[in-house]
Amino acid sequence: MQETHLHKNFNTGDFKIGASVIKQILWYFINILFFKSRLIPFSVILVFILRLFGAKIGKEVRIKPGIYVKYPWKLTIGDYSWLADCYIENLDWVHIGKNCCISQKAMLITGNHNYTKTSFDLITKEIILENGVWAGANTTIAPGVTAHSHAVLSLGSVATKNLEAYSIYQGNPAQLVKQRTII
């Protein structure tokens, strides 16, 4: 087995945080105080704070205490969506459509590293959840995934590829199990 050593300077490529240092520091402390601590149980206040930091959030959106958002200025959420205590590691954009449900402990991860290079290059890709998507509890959505209209990712599943519209996916990696019928 060949031994290799990782380069001491990891390569983040053209990654940009997209906010001033002051904004990043303010968000760090606000995030700890109001989001991670769960001190503020009121969705309207959490939505207000996310908007202050640049998130584009539609009307009647519900945000539950305990949610984690890495960079609110790289987040859009459509009208009437509901986000539980999920984890949004949005090094790249996360777009959540209207009437979506992101359940407890769901993770949306937009970044990863190229493990084949010694420089361990950072790779980021946006996540798009179209209208009516439901990410069940304990699910994971990988970088670059688009969940098309009204797709469902069921409990504990991992989406590494795009999800077709009106389809239900299950497993790791998630596989299509049946069509979603809405009555």
Side-chain angles (χ1 to χ4, degrees), residues 82-101:
W82 185 90
L83 284 74
D85 56 338
C86 58
Y87 185 91
I88 302 174
E89 181 76 22
N90 57 334
L91 300 174
D92 207 323
W93 282 92
V94 169
H95 303 281
I96 299 170
K98 296 178 181 179
N99 300 297
C100 289
C101 178

Side-chain angles (χ1 to χ4, degrees), residues 101-108 129 132-141 145 147-148 150-161 163-164 166-180:
C101 178
I102 313 301
S103 296
Q104 297 81 355
K105 307 299 181 211
M107 294 194 313
L108 283 63
L129 306 181
V133 168
W134 179 12
N138 264 354
T139 57
T140 301
I141 299 177
V145 169
H148 292 282
H150 296 84
V152 174
L153 184 61
S154 66
L155 177 72
S157 298
V158 178
T160 58
K161 296 188 175 150
L163 307 180
E164 295 176 20
Y166 291 92
S167 297
I168 300 173
Y169 289 80
Q170 184 176 29
N172 180 6
Q175 302 294 317
L176 174 65
V177 291
K178 65 181 179 177
Q179 294 302 305
R180 180 179 184 188

Side-chain angles (χ1 to χ4, degrees), residues 1-48:
M1 181 174 201
Q2 179 182 1
E3 183 177 331
T4 59
H5 299 283
L6 291 177
H7 193 274
K8 48 182 142 172
N9 294 319
F10 296 128
N11 183 358
T12 58
D14 60 357
F15 172 72
K16 304 264 188 293
I17 291 175
S20 69
V21 172
I22 292 171
K23 187 174 187 177
Q24 292 173 57
I25 292 169
L26 280 172
W27 173 247
Y28 176 80
F29 288 107
I30 294 291
N31 185 31
I32 289 171
L33 184 61
F34 294 113
F35 290 82
K36 288 184 181 181
S37 73
R38 299 175 185 253
L39 285 176
I40 305 293
F42 306 108
S43 181
V44 67
I45 295 171
L46 299 176
V47 167
F48 175 77

Side-chain angles (χ1 to χ4, degrees), residues 47 49-57 72-77:
V47 167
I49 294 169
L50 286 169
R51 284 181 178 146
L52 273 180
F53 280 88
K56 293 171 182 53
I57 301 176
W73 48 88
K74 292 185 177 186
L75 177 65
T76 63
I77 305 171

Side-chain angles (χ1 to χ4, degrees), residues 62-78:
R62 298 292 178 254
I63 305 284
K64 297 298 179 183
I67 189 173
Y68 171 83
V69 177
K70 179 76 171 180
Y71 299 133
W73 48 88
K74 292 185 177 186
L75 177 65
T76 63
I77 305 171

